[in-house]
Amino acid sequence: MPPAFRPDLIAALRRDLDHSLFTVGRLSGAGAWGAAGGAALFRGERIAARRALESRRPASGRERASDTLAKLWILGYPQPAADVAAALPTLGLDGAAALHLLHVEGDVTAPLVDLRPYSFVDSAGEANWWVASDLGEMALQGPLREDHVLGIGGASNTLSGLMIPRRVERALDLGTGCGIQAMHAARHARHVVATDISERALGFARFNVELNLIGGVEFRLGSLYEPVEGEMFDHIVSNPPFVITPRTEGVPAYEYRDGGMVGDELVATVVAGAGDHLAPGGVAQLLGNWETGGPGKRGAYSVVDWVSRGVVPLDVWAVEREVQDATSYSETWIRDGGTRPGSPDFERLYEAWLDDFDERGVSEIGFGYITLRRPASRAVVTGAQDPAARPVERIERLAGALGTGGIGSPDVGLGPHLLLCLEAMDRLRDMSDGELLATRLRVAGDVTETRHYWPGNDDPTVIQLTQGGGFARTIESGTALSALVGASDGDLSSAAIVGALAHLLDAPEAELRAELLPQLRELVSCGILLF
């Protein structure tokens, strides 16, 4: 069962955790399990971390409390009741048991949840939280239960890093799980609605919000958009249960990752319904899988098709982060559920996964980020003859673009960059070519230029412009474009710079302007040139 919602006991737990050194910095530093133990935990192995904790002598009672709680709630090892009682002097063993955080049997306590520290930095500053979820495969040493409530993982970190830090009135966290995205959204939204189909998940989410003193979050039970029918939001975030699972008897359907639909239909449904719940100017951000092969399966380009199912025109920006073939994808998600390779269950599930992909003609599965935006202007119409009046459709792939310019492997914290790009796209939509040329642009401070030469040749064979931040995008440039970017320091209009370049390069100004204008729009939309 999820933790009990007892505000008095949760407050006592908070005081004990505040007093202890049960923090990310202390556990991951040299004083606790260190880098090697942390790396082993990342691989799903706990022995190295336990040995590191047991081999050291805590310098204080606070360090001893941190070690005890880490072994109990992160590593999943039963601990002496006396040690746990000393680590939780305010809450006590009875209080912890009443919260359903642990079970006491004689002189030993066993964990009932995973409870761990979590820290991050966003545009609002630094934050340190504690987040509870179900015990994972590492602690259970076996397969997960089908109604497992997932804690913080790679996908949740990715989505929180992508979250646009724009002050808004209302936000929606669709499929909140343990509540982590709702907690992040509450840092920039006055009111957050967090929904989930799982009562257990909502129980964990309520507990986490209360433990970390986060206000303005409302919880609702139900599937997808059903709990918010007829309501509008300025920001929608979702880490939906997007994992593609065979609809076959005997294949576990984990609530945290399996939406109960065939193929990538769950993600398609979330995307198709977003427009009905986005206020003008509102943005939806989610993670998802998409299939390639079979009827209507166009990989990341399917996102555009899914949006077209709705009646509200939306800008689409999909970034494909990785692609797996059907065999690799199957192996990944069978292991994720706790089934070990080489076992009869693994082989049975492997056959079911591959049968499903073969029957539907699926060859590849992509994973990535989807950003949808409802234009504030009512003049935007799908299929309009004027390109400026159409919604934006931007489909890209990390480390090799599907469109223009490759994008590298970015760090976390892309939210501010996404916001900058969306605002630039909004301004560009309403600007004629003449208005854009009359604008004074400046090159972003993180942009560098690289030139490649044949030995002994003075003329470059390749010129590249590269962003240091954002998506680490690389744009193949030419002499004229590179000169235009280099001269864009905010003092001269782009028209004046193009005129000077035409004179310098002895090129017809009209032709040079026609060549550079589309590239100029692209550089502004991706944040290499700034208004």
Side-chain angles (χ1 to χ4, degrees):
M1 65 178 64
F5 190 75
R6 295 275 302 275
D8 56 331
L9 296 180
I10 295 173
L13 172 63
R14 188 188 313 115
R15 285 194 291 273
D16 288 336
L17 295 177
D18 273 333
H19 180 72
S20 76
L21 293 176
F22 192 46
T23 64
V24 171
R26 192 259 162 181
L27 290 174
S28 61
W33 51 52
L41 285 176
F42 184 76
R43 298 191 299 270
E45 301 295 339
R46 61 181 179 169
I47 292 175
R50 189 209 74 216
R51 288 168 63 92
L53 291 175
E54 292 178 346
S55 68
R56 59 182 300 278
R57 179 174 297 175
S60 66
R62 297 176 69 197
E63 284 195 4
R64 188 176 297 108
S66 174
D67 289 355
T68 298
L69 298 180
K71 285 184 283 187
L72 178 72
W73 280 327
I74 298 179
L75 304 185
Y77 289 109
Q79 294 298 300
D83 290 353
V84 178
L88 300 172
T90 310
L91 179 64
L93 292 179
D94 289 343
L99 283 175
H100 307 148
L101 302 180
L102 52 78
H103 172 68
V104 183
E105 189 167 339
D107 296 333
V108 176
T109 63
L112 295 179
V113 300
D114 180 299
L115 177 62
R116 63 182 62 207
Y118 170 64
S119 65
F120 62 94
V121 178
D122 62 11
S123 60
E126 182 180 1
N128 296 281
W129 294 338
W130 296 280
V131 178
S133 62
D134 271 325
L135 290 166
E137 177 195 348
M138 181 183 71
L140 296 173
Q141 294 293 289
L144 306 175
R145 53 190 291 168
E146 291 193 23
D147 61 355
H148 177 83
V149 176
L150 191 67
I152 297 169
S156 56
N157 281 328
T158 295
L159 183 57
S160 62
L162 292 168
M163 202 175 290
I164 290 174
R166 182 181 60 157
R167 300 298 300 178
V168 296
E169 186 68 17
R170 304 192 78 218
L172 169 66
D173 178 13
L174 194 73
T176 192
C178 72
I180 188 61
Q181 303 305 331
M183 294 160 68
H184 275 284
R187 290 169 67 80
H188 66 267
R190 194 184 70 81
H191 181 70
V192 179
V193 176
T195 69
D196 207 286
I197 199 170
S198 165
E199 278 276 20
R200 295 189 74 252
L202 291 178
F204 275 102
R206 287 190 188 96
F207 176 86
N208 289 327
V209 164
E210 180 70 20
L211 178 60
N212 295 287
L213 295 174
I214 296 169
V217 181
E218 175 189 352
F219 297 98
R220 300 184 194 174
L221 179 68
S223 177
L224 299 178
Y225 295 106
E226 289 175 3
V228 294
E229 185 177 357
E231 296 183 51
M232 307 295 280
F233 298 89
D234 306 299
H235 197 182
I236 299 174
V237 294
S238 182
N239 181 13
F242 56 74
V243 175
I244 297 163
T245 306
R247 308 265 65 89
T248 305
E249 187 176 349
V251 176
Y254 298 107
E255 287 183 353
Y256 74 91
R257 71 180 206 189
D258 175 16
M261 299 183 186
V262 175
D264 52 20
E265 184 59 26
L266 186 280
V267 180
T269 302
V270 174
V271 169
D276 293 333
H277 297 278
L278 281 175
V283 174
Q285 297 181 275
L286 62 146
L287 306 180
N289 277 151
W290 38 75
E291 297 174 316
T292 298
K297 302 295 185 180
R298 304 198 300 141
Y301 289 99
S302 293
V303 179
V304 176
D305 302 333
W306 299 338
V307 167
S308 69
R309 295 184 190 179
V311 297
V312 179
L314 298 177
D315 294 331
V316 179
W317 188 0
V319 176
E320 189 167 70
R321 198 179 83 174
E322 60 183 284
V323 179
Q324 289 182 291
D325 58 38
T327 56
S328 299
Y329 186 88
S330 303
E331 293 164 11
T332 296
W333 292 109
I334 296 170
R335 283 195 301 264
D336 177 79
T339 304
R340 299 299 177 100
S343 66
D345 275 347
F346 189 93
E347 294 203 354
R348 176 180 61 82
L349 294 174
Y350 204 178
E351 293 278 8
W353 244 275
L354 295 184
D355 283 347
D356 175 58
F357 287 133
D358 285 346
E359 287 169 8
R360 296 186 299 106
V362 175
S363 57
E364 290 183 339
I365 301 91
F367 166 77
Y369 329 132
I370 300 172
T371 301
L372 310 172
R373 195 250 313 264
R374 181 174 179 177
S377 170
R378 294 188 178 185
V380 177
V381 179
T382 302
Q385 288 190 340
D386 180 3
R390 297 177 203 153
V392 173
E393 295 178 1
R394 192 178 187 96
I395 312 296
E396 303 182 277
R397 176 180 290 168
L398 290 183
L402 301 175
T404 1
I407 46 182
S409 298
D411 296 322
V412 295
L414 280 167
H417 176 73
L418 291 177
L419 178 59
L420 182 147
C421 293
L422 290 177
E423 289 175 343
M425 291 177 197
D426 251 350
R427 285 190 66 176
L428 286 171
R429 190 197 312 273
D430 297 327
M431 295 183 81
S432 67
D433 288 344
E435 289 170 331
L436 177 58
L437 284 169
T439 304
R440 298 177 181 181
L441 301 172
R442 62 180 177 85
V443 63
D446 61 347
V447 175
T448 57
E449 181 186 272
T450 305
R451 296 186 175 222
H452 299 267
Y453 298 84
W454 289 113
N457 197 324
D458 291 336
D459 296 321
T461 55
V462 176
I463 304 175
Q464 295 175 323
L465 301 171
T466 303
Q467 284 178 312
F471 279 114
R473 188 184 302 273
T474 295
I475 300 287
E476 297 294 329
S477 182
T479 301
L481 180 62
S482 185
L484 171 61
V485 171
S488 296
D489 58 4
D491 289 336
L492 295 174
S493 69
S494 296
I497 297 172
V498 171
L501 287 174
H503 179 73
L504 208 70
L505 299 172
D506 195 21
E509 185 173 342
E511 292 181 12
L512 188 61
R513 187 184 301 117
E515 173 193 333
L516 292 177
L517 261 170
Q519 299 174 74
L520 192 63
R521 286 188 178 272
E522 171 64 15
L523 295 187
V524 172
S525 68
C526 65
I528 288 179
L529 288 175
L530 309 175
F531 286 111

